[in-house]
Amino acid sequence: MDDIRNAIVSNLETIAGIGNVHAFERYAKSQSVMKTLYKYGNRLLGWNVRRVTTSERSEALGRWIRVYRWEIKGYLSLDDSEKSEIVFDNLIEEICSVFRADDTLGGVVDTCIVNNEAGIQVSESYPVLFAGVLCHSARLALNTRIYL
């Protein structure tokens, strides 16, 4: 499973201006530490990746199929004068494009097309208070399927 997580992170890191990409959901005891983890230039911009579900089934004797559902959360500090919502939406679209172009995550998985969902799905996108800063946030989902 680590290889899948690493491939997701690597794909995200290919995007110019993506910000900080964390291979796991970060936590801190203080807002200042959280700000440091997500500080990119003069603003907060970052993403984290976590596995949220795993399902396994066997459709044929001796062949197992495992599906991981991943959640990618992103944050960008809100700045109305810079039209930050548009900047954030464009980053999300770039993420979708990168994963659409690499359906096997470099050969690490068999496919990212599972149950009529192909590639990145935008689950939610809305403003939140993150580390004490008003930010755009998004929850993206990605299914990966491997055969064992």
Side-chain angles (χ1 to χ4, degrees), residues 21-53:
V21 179
H22 302 281
F24 59 98
E25 191 164 8
R26 302 302 303 261
Y27 295 96
K29 292 182 180 181
S30 70
Q31 289 183 355
S32 63
V33 173
M34 282 302 284
K35 285 179 186 177
T36 301
L37 292 171
Y38 285 84
K39 186 167 176 54
Y40 183 77
N42 62 351
R43 60 184 171 187
L44 298 185
L45 175 57
W47 304 82
N48 63 64
V49 177
R50 71 184 316 231
R51 187 229 11 214
V52 290
T53 64

Side-chain angles (χ1 to χ4, degrees), residues 114-134:
V114 179
N115 299 331
N116 298 319
E117 289 184 355
I120 295 289
Q121 308 298 306
V122 181
S123 302
E124 297 179 320
S125 182
Y126 52 87
V128 297
L129 198 58
F130 179 75
V133 177
L134 185 59

Side-chain angles (χ1 to χ4, degrees), residues 11-112:
N11 274 4
L12 290 169
E13 288 175 336
T14 66
I15 300 168
I18 193 69
N20 298 307
V21 179
H22 302 281
F24 59 98
E25 191 164 8
R26 302 302 303 261
Y27 295 96
K29 292 182 180 181
S30 70
Q31 289 183 355
S32 63
V33 173
M34 282 302 284
K35 285 179 186 177
T36 301
L37 292 171
Y38 285 84
K39 186 167 176 54
Y40 183 77
N42 62 351
R43 60 184 171 187
L44 298 185
L45 175 57
W47 304 82
N48 63 64
V49 177
R50 71 184 316 231
R51 187 229 11 214
V52 290
T53 64
T54 303
S55 63
E56 189 170 282
R57 66 182 191 278
S58 178
E59 294 177 352
L61 188 61
R63 184 166 184 185
W64 293 89
I65 300 166
R66 181 170 279 187
V67 175
Y68 295 102
R69 186 159 182 94
W70 300 89
E71 183 175 79
I72 302 166
K73 288 184 190 174
Y75 304 95
L76 170 65
S77 49
L78 198 145
D79 186 340
D80 188 70
S81 67
E82 291 185 7
K83 301 177 184 173
S84 57
E85 181 178 346
I86 294 171
V87 170
F88 195 61
D89 280 345
N90 287 336
L91 275 175
I92 292 169
E93 290 305 310
E94 184 64 23
I95 292 169
C96 293
S97 295
V98 164
F99 282 85
R100 188 180 310 115
D102 185 10
D103 176 57
T104 66
L105 304 179
V108 173
V109 300
D110 292 292
T111 187
C112 291

